[in-house]
Amino acid sequence: NGLYMERKSLNEIEKKLPSQFKRCHKSSIVNISHIKSLIGYEMHLSNNKFQTVGRTYLSAIRTELLRFVNG
């Protein structure tokens, strides 16, 4: 529940995060365990906010979400 600022590229940050964190847009990383739903290109998150999924990342997010849900 906080804002974090880091002077590194998102690629560098993503590599350091645990595996449940996935890139969902060129400017965003999301924790898969906090996705409530995915409809089209929009995720509904557990904090009741919405996040757009970029076309480039959509199939990877779907795959990871299914993997998470199926255990």
Side-chain angles (χ1 to χ4, degrees), residues 56-67:
T56 306
Y57 306 99
L58 185 60
S59 66
I61 290 291
R62 283 184 178 156
T63 301
E64 288 300 321
L65 189 55
L66 284 172
R67 190 175 293 152

Side-chain angles (χ1 to χ4, degrees), residues 2-58:
L3 176 64
Y4 300 93
M5 296 185 76
E6 183 84 31
R7 290 203 180 267
K8 294 184 179 186
S9 72
L10 237 72
N11 282 334
E12 290 177 286
I13 294 169
E14 184 180 20
K15 289 176 187 174
K16 293 182 179 182
L17 290 171
S19 63
Q20 77 261 21
F21 288 88
K22 298 295 176 190
R23 189 82 169 258
C24 64
H25 194 272
K26 66 180 181 178
S27 61
S28 301
I29 296 174
V30 68
N31 185 334
I32 294 293
S33 65
H34 287 279
I35 300 174
K36 290 174 78 174
S37 65
L38 174 63
I39 300 170
Y41 290 95
E42 192 168 75
M43 293 182 291
H44 182 212
L45 304 174
S46 62
N47 62 357
N48 291 322
K49 293 189 178 189
F50 290 89
Q51 172 65 49
T52 302
V53 179
R55 284 181 290 158
T56 306
Y57 306 99
L58 185 60

